Amino acid sequence: PAGAAATVRYGDNRVEVKNLQLVNADQRISADGVVAGLDSTLQVRAENVVNAALAIPLAWGPGIWSS
């Protein structure tokens, strides 16, 4: 929400996202949740987004945590 701080915390093989919003005019991509292997609960929502703007990975595989 407007005025709310977004946080992204990472470590111990997990990423936690709270209140993340990317906004351009009336286009909005928001994310909230956790990416942690099988316990992932990340929810990403796109509103009024032009297809070309969706160049973000929405289906991360287990290899994302490899170093």
Side-chain angles (χ1 to χ4, degrees):
T7 58
V8 178
R9 296 182 358 193
Y10 59 92
D12 297 325
N13 292 326
R14 71 185 262 130
V15 177
E16 182 178 346
V17 179
K18 289 186 180 179
N19 300 319
L20 179 65
Q21 294 193 30
L22 305 173
V23 179
N24 180 21
D26 69 338
Q27 297 181 81
R28 177 184 311 266
I29 297 174
S30 56
D32 239 314
V34 175
V35 177
L38 297 177
D39 296 327
S40 298
T41 61
L42 182 66
Q43 294 183 359
V44 177
R45 180 176 177 158
E47 300 174 55
N48 300 317
V49 176
V50 179
N51 287 343
L54 289 176
I56 59 173
L58 298 180
W60 293 337
I64 192 171
W65 306 116
S66 299
S67 46

